[in-house]
Amino acid sequence: MLERTVISVGSRELRARHLLVIAVLASSFTVSALIRAQPAEYGFELHEFDPFFNYRATEFLVENGLAAYGEWHDELSWHPDGRDISRTSQFMQHATAAALYGAFGGGSSLLDFVIVLPLVLGALTGVAVFALVRVIAGTTAGLLASLFYAVSVPIIIRGPIGWFKAEPIGLFYGVIGVYLFLSGITASGRREAALRLAGAGIVMSMALSAWGGTQFFIIPMGLFFMVLPFVRRDHSFLVWAVPLFVGVLLASSAAFERPGASFVLGLGGASLAVPAAVMVASVLIRRASPPSAATRNSLMLVLGVVAAAAAILAANSQAEYLDLPSFRYLNAVNPFLTTIDPLVDSVSEHVSLTLRQSFFFMSILMVFAGVGAWLLLSRRDRLDSYGIPLRTDMAVYAVIMGFAGVYVASAFTRLAVFSSVAMVVLASIGIAILASLVFSNARAGRGAKIGFVAVVVAMLLVPMTTPAEGNWVTTADNPPPILNGGSIFTIATQDWPLALEWLREETPPGSVVMSWWDYGYWIETLGERTTLVDNLTISTSKIQNIAQIFYSEPHVAWERMDELGVDYAVVYIAARNVGTPERPLYTLSGGGDETKRVWLARIAGVDEGDYLYGDSVSPRDKFDETLFGMMTPFSHVTYGNLATGLKSVRWQPGFVSIYEKDVRLPADGDGPLRLAYSSPSFDEDHDSRISGVFIYEVNRDYVPPEPEPVRVPISEIPFMEAALDGSQGDGGAPPEGADSDPAEAPPEAPPEGADSDPAEAPPEGADSDPAEAPPEGADFGAPR
C-alpha cells in the first residue's frame, strides 16, 4: 500500500510512503514550533540575557557591514576597557541571522526576526535529525527520532521563541555536519563522498563558530575514527576520507577568529587530528602485519595512544605545560573535576544534573534508549536480522554517540542537550528494531501488533501530558526573563523594560552603570548605557570587585565607585507580600539579587557567616550596614515560619526574615547614593509580588565620614617605653605605689554587687534590650 504511486512526473514517482514521510516531518515541525512558542503568550520578547547582546551585534553587522564588525571595539561594555567583539563573539550566529534576515526578513524588523528565528531553526533541526538517523538506521528510525527531538525537554528549554542564543543555530549546523560526515563515509561513489566530507568539515567549522558546545560533537567522532579500521574493510577509502574531513574542518576553523588557531592547535583540534592519525597508522600496521596478528597489533597501538594521552593529561594537571580550555569544557570531559571558583558555581546552568532532573528530561526515552543500546551491542554480528538497514559501523557510531552524550551531560545542566540527542538516536533505533521484529513475526497476530503500537504510544504520551503543570509540554511555558526579571514568579510585568527605558531617556549619554553581571546585556542593549561588567564574564577580577563593593560599608563603596567613574547603580529585588492590606509585609526570596546574597559574599571573598544566617538567605545585622543592605528598600521586622505561621524575634532554622518597605537611600537624602527610579510594582503595590528594579544615582556631593582616631595604649608608644620601665633620665621613676599618670588611673571600683555602669543596668526583671521585646499583642514583634 505504501508503495502505491500517487503522482508521476516523467520518470519520477511520488509514492504513498513519501507522503507519509512528509506528513510525519510536518507534524514534527508543527509540534516543535507550538511547544517552543509558548513563552510568547506572556509577551513577544527576546528570551534570557545573551540574546540581547546577540541582537545588538547582529544589528551592527546588518547596518555597518562585515569590515566594520571585524574592527568593532564596543565601548558600552567592560568600562573602561571595552570589548573586541569579533574576537570574543560567536560570529556565525550573527552572520547567519544577518544573512537570513536579508533573504527572508521582508518588511519585518530585525528584532522581530531574531525573536522568531530560534523557533524556526529549532523546529527545522528536527528534520535534520531525521536525515541523520535515517543514515544510521533507516527511515522508520529517522521519523521516530524527528518526533522525539520535537518534544525533547532539554532541547526545548534551550531553544524557545526569543532564545537567540548559541544552541539553536549551533545544533542546527552541528546535526547537519554530522549527517554529511556519516553520509560521506557511507557514500557509494568517491566523488560524492569527497563532496559530502568536505561539506561536513565546512559546516562543522561553522557550527563551532556559532556555538563552542559543538566541540562535544567531536568527542564521539574522534573515538569513532579509531574504531573504524576494526569494523570496516575498505581501508584504502578510510585513509583519505577521514583525513579529508579533518583537514577541511581544521582549515575552515582556522579561518574564523573564534575558535580560530586556539582550537586548531589546542585540545579541540588534537581530539580530531590525533585519532585520525591513529586510524591511518592502524591501517598501515594491519597491512604490514601477518593476518593472524593484524588486529592485535592495531589494537595495541590504539590502547597505547589512549594510555599515553591519559598520562600526558595527568602529568599536565601538575606541570601545566599545555594550554587547556576553560573549566566548563574540562569539566565536561572530566565530570569529577571540581572548582573552588564561586563565580563558576554561581551560574545555574553549571549545576550538575540530578537524578530527578535526568529522569524528568529523559523519562521513557531512557528506557527505549537502553533497549536500543542493548540490541546493538548484544547482536552486533547479526544486525541484518533486525529487518532495518543498519550497518555495523553505523551501529558502532550510534553506541559511541549515545554513551559520549550521556557522559558529557553528567557535568552540568546545560549539556543535557547532548544526552537528549544521544537518547533520541538510541531510543528511535530501539523502537524501530522492536517494531520490525514484531511486525515481521508471522506468529504475531493483528491484536499483538496493535497492542504493541498502543503500549509504545501510551508510554510516550504519559510524560508529555502528566503531571498537568509539569510535563514535557508545559515545562517551556515560562515568561521571558525580561518580563519577570528572571525571578521564580510566573508573571509578566513592564518593570525591567520601563526601568531600562528610564535609563535610556533620563540619564546622560555616556553614563556608567554598575549592576550585578546578570543584567549587563539588558543595560547595554535596551538602556544604551555603559556597564562595568556584563554576561560574557571576561574578567573574574572585575566581577569580584563589584561583589566587594556591594559588601562594603556605604562610604567605602562610594569611594570605590567614584574611582571607577560609576554614575548609577542598579539592584533588582523580587518580593512577595505575605501581610494584610492594613499591614503589608514581605518576604525576599523570589529569585532577584536578594537570593544571590550568598554568591556575592563568596565571590567577594568575605565570610558569609558574618552577614547571613545558616540558611544562607536570612541576613544578619551586619548585612544591613553594607551598600547591598542599604540599597535594598526593605527593613527587617521579625522572623516567620511560613509553613506554620509562627513568629520569632530571633532567627532559627525554618524561619525567614519578614520585611516592610523602607527606602534607606531616598532621593532627597545626603547619603552616598540617592534613589532615582523604582519599579511601578514597588510603588503601586497592586499585586502580591514585586519585581523591583531600583536605580540609584551616585551622590557626587557626598562627604564620607571622618575616620575615627585610632586609640593606641600608652604602653605601645615607643618613646614612652623608657619612662614606663623606670629608665627615663629626668624625673626618674614614680614613687613606689604611685600611678605613672594619675589621669590614666582607673575609676574607683563600684560598691560590691553594683553594676559597672548603673545607667546601663535594666530595671529588675526587664529584658536586656527593651527594644527587642515585642509589644503585647503585636503581630510580628518590633524591628531589629
Side-chain angles (χ1 to χ4, degrees):
M1 179 178 178
L2 291 178
E3 295 300 324
R4 179 172 57 88
T5 301
V6 178
I7 301 175
S8 178
V9 179
S11 60
R12 299 185 177 275
E13 295 181 344
L14 182 66
R15 301 180 183 273
R17 59 183 172 87
H18 297 145
L19 293 180
L20 177 61
V21 170
I22 294 172
V24 173
L25 293 180
S27 299
S28 169
F29 181 92
T30 303
V31 169
S32 179
L34 289 175
I35 296 176
R36 294 169 186 268
Q38 290 179 97
E41 68 180 278
Y42 299 96
F44 197 67
E45 301 282 354
L46 288 170
H47 205 292
E48 228 248 4
F49 302 98
D50 292 5
F52 287 85
F53 164 74
N54 290 325
Y55 160 66
R56 186 162 71 93
T58 303
E59 183 181 46
F60 185 94
L61 179 59
V62 169
E63 294 179 353
N64 299 280
L66 184 59
Y69 178 95
E71 299 175 357
W72 181 19
H73 189 80
D74 182 26
E75 299 295 339
L76 286 184
S77 59
W78 294 91
H79 176 79
D81 301 319
R83 170 183 173 183
D84 185 345
I85 296 298
S86 63
R87 185 177 60 84
T88 60
S89 299
Q90 295 148 325
F91 167 70
M92 276 308 300
Q93 181 174 11
H94 308 150
T96 300
L100 293 175
Y101 178 69
F104 305 105
S108 66
S109 68
L110 177 63
L111 178 59
D112 290 345
F113 184 81
V114 298
I115 289 175
V116 176
L117 183 61
L119 179 150
V120 176
L121 287 182
L124 282 175
T125 305
V127 180
V129 168
F130 159 74
L132 168 63
V133 179
R134 184 173 180 269
V135 171
I136 297 175
T139 301
T140 301
L143 292 176
L144 290 169
S146 180
L147 291 172
F148 295 161
Y149 187 89
V151 298
S152 175
V153 174
I155 293 170
I156 292 294
I157 62 178
R158 302 201 69 83
I161 189 169
W163 191 276
F164 186 42
K165 290 184 67 171
E167 288 94 341
I169 293 178
L171 284 171
F172 179 71
Y173 281 134
V175 171
I176 292 177
V178 175
Y179 158 72
L180 289 174
F181 167 72
L182 294 181
S183 63
I185 65 171
T186 57
S188 56
R190 293 195 168 217
R191 177 184 175 85
E192 179 184 0
L195 290 175
R196 288 177 178 268
L197 290 170
I202 294 173
V203 173
M204 287 298 291
S205 68
M206 294 166 64
L208 285 167
S209 177
W211 182 33
T214 305
Q215 294 190 34
F216 300 115
F217 277 120
I218 291 173
I219 293 175
M221 283 186 169
L223 298 173
F224 184 54
F225 292 165
M226 294 189 290
V227 176
L228 274 175
F230 300 95
V231 296
R232 290 183 57 154
R233 297 180 179 178
D234 51 346
H235 295 163
S236 59
F237 170 78
L238 296 177
V239 294
W240 68 263
V242 171
L244 172 65
F245 165 73
V246 173
V248 172
L249 192 158
L250 295 181
S252 301
S253 297
F256 291 104
E257 194 166 1
R258 180 183 177 185
S262 62
F263 169 78
V264 176
L265 302 177
L267 288 182
S271 64
L272 282 174
V274 172
V278 170
M279 186 210 68
V280 173
S282 178
V283 169
L284 296 178
I285 287 177
R286 293 176 73 90
R287 289 178 177 176
S289 302
S292 59
T295 300
R296 182 197 61 195
N297 293 342
S298 296
L299 184 60
M300 290 179 62
L301 170 67
V302 173
L303 294 178
V305 170
V306 172
I312 291 173
L313 292 177
N316 185 71
S317 64
Q318 301 296 328
E320 297 184 354
Y321 49 81
L322 292 178
D323 186 16
L324 298 178
S326 63
F327 173 81
R328 57 181 176 175
Y329 293 105
L330 294 177
N331 192 203
V333 176
N334 181 7
F336 299 101
L337 195 64
T338 58
T339 176
I340 58 174
D341 186 351
L343 180 59
V344 174
D345 292 338
S346 69
V347 182
S348 59
E349 63 188 21
H350 289 173
V351 177
S352 298
L353 274 174
T354 64
L355 283 176
R356 181 177 180 180
Q357 287 176 317
S358 297
F359 278 106
F360 174 71
F361 285 166
M362 308 307 168
S363 189
I364 199 64
L365 290 184
M366 189 181 299
V367 175
F368 288 121
V371 171
W374 178 74
L375 289 172
L376 293 176
L377 291 172
S378 63
R379 300 179 65 181
R380 56 189 181 277
D381 58 335
R382 297 166 56 192
L383 295 178
D384 54 346
S385 66
Y386 288 145
I388 63 174
L390 187 61
R391 297 165 44 125
T392 302
D393 55 347
M394 293 297 98
V396 169
Y397 179 81
V399 173
I400 291 175
M401 184 180 185
F403 283 99
V406 173
Y407 178 81
V408 300
S410 64
F412 44 87
T413 306
R414 185 178 185 180
L415 294 183
V417 294
F418 289 101
S419 61
S420 294
V421 173
M423 293 295 101
V424 162
V425 172
L426 288 177
S428 61
I429 293 175
I431 296 178
I433 292 175
L434 290 178
S436 176
L437 294 176
V438 170
F439 284 93
S440 62
N441 190 340
R443 292 178 294 178
R446 182 182 181 88
K449 296 176 181 178
I450 294 176
F452 169 80
V453 174
V455 168
V456 171
V457 171
M459 293 175 70
L460 292 171
L461 287 178
V462 167
M464 294 179 61
T465 56
T466 57
E469 300 300 326
N471 54 61
W472 282 3
V473 175
T474 59
T475 191
D477 189 13
N478 295 302
I482 193 68
L483 298 181
N484 76 340
S487 68
I488 63 174
F489 301 150
T490 309
I491 58 175
T493 74
Q494 289 298 305
D495 288 296
W496 267 106
L498 290 175
L500 296 168
E501 180 184 3
W502 184 90
L503 268 179
R504 185 176 64 251
E505 301 294 336
E506 302 297 332
T507 62
S511 297
V512 178
V513 181
M514 185 189 82
S515 72
W516 193 230
W517 63 275
D518 292 5
Y519 316 114
Y521 284 156
W522 290 358
I523 293 170
E524 295 162 8
T525 303
L526 299 182
E528 299 179 7
R529 292 297 177 262
T530 304
T531 64
L532 295 180
V533 298
D534 61 30
N535 306 70
L536 184 61
T537 63
I538 290 177
S539 171
T540 299
S541 62
K542 287 190 175 183
I543 296 176
Q544 184 182 37
N545 186 36
I546 289 182
Q548 291 170 347
I549 291 175
F550 274 120
Y551 267 90
S552 298
E553 295 181 353
H555 67 277
V556 176
W558 179 85
E559 292 174 350
R560 298 179 72 171
M561 286 191 288
D562 189 58
E563 293 173 358
L564 294 171
V566 175
D567 300 297
Y568 296 89
V570 177
V571 68
Y572 171 66
I573 305 296
R576 186 189 300 274
N577 190 340
V578 295
T580 63
E582 296 76 21
R583 181 81 189 280
L585 296 168
Y586 305 88
T587 58
L588 307 185
S589 56
D593 289 340
E594 78 287 342
T595 60
K596 302 168 189 172
R597 292 168 178 160
V598 64
W599 289 113
L600 267 73
R602 293 172 183 175
I603 293 169
V606 301
D607 186 350
E608 63 189 78
D610 291 342
Y611 298 89
L612 304 172
Y613 284 107
D615 61 356
S616 299
V617 175
S618 301
R620 294 180 181 270
D621 291 343
K622 191 174 181 179
F623 176 83
D624 293 336
E625 300 169 3
T626 66
L627 179 71
F628 199 172
M630 294 288 289
M631 292 178 69
T632 303
F634 294 88
S635 289
H636 172 85
V637 174
T638 188
Y639 296 100
N641 187 312
L642 301 182
T644 63
L646 297 177
K647 305 171 184 64
S648 172
V649 295
R650 291 177 176 83
W651 181 84
Q652 53 186 302
F655 285 69
V656 297
S657 286
I658 306 295
Y659 301 85
E660 63 184 358
K661 290 182 180 180
D662 180 21
V663 178
R664 301 171 63 191
L665 296 171
D668 56 355
D670 58 0
L673 303 179
R674 292 170 175 163
L675 183 63
Y677 177 88
S678 59
S679 289
S681 65
F682 178 76
D683 298 326
E684 299 169 6
D685 201 13
H686 57 80
D687 188 80
S688 63
R689 294 159 294 187
I690 292 176
S691 182
V693 186
F694 304 95
I695 305 175
Y696 291 87
E697 183 178 8
V698 176
N699 181 8
R700 299 297 180 193
D701 299 325
Y702 174 69
V703 179
E706 291 291 334
E708 294 185 6
V710 179
R711 299 185 181 277
V712 180
I714 193 169
S715 61
E716 296 184 11
I717 300 177
F719 70 84
M720 294 295 293
E721 290 179 356
L724 293 175
D725 62 14
S727 60
Q728 186 171 349
D730 55 5
E736 185 177 353
D739 195 76
S740 60
D741 185 354
E744 292 295 322
E748 184 178 351
E752 185 177 353
D755 200 307
S756 60
D757 186 353
E760 293 295 322
E764 184 177 355
D767 198 356
S768 60
D769 185 356
E772 290 294 323
E776 185 177 355
D779 282 340
F780 287 94
R784 285 189 296 192

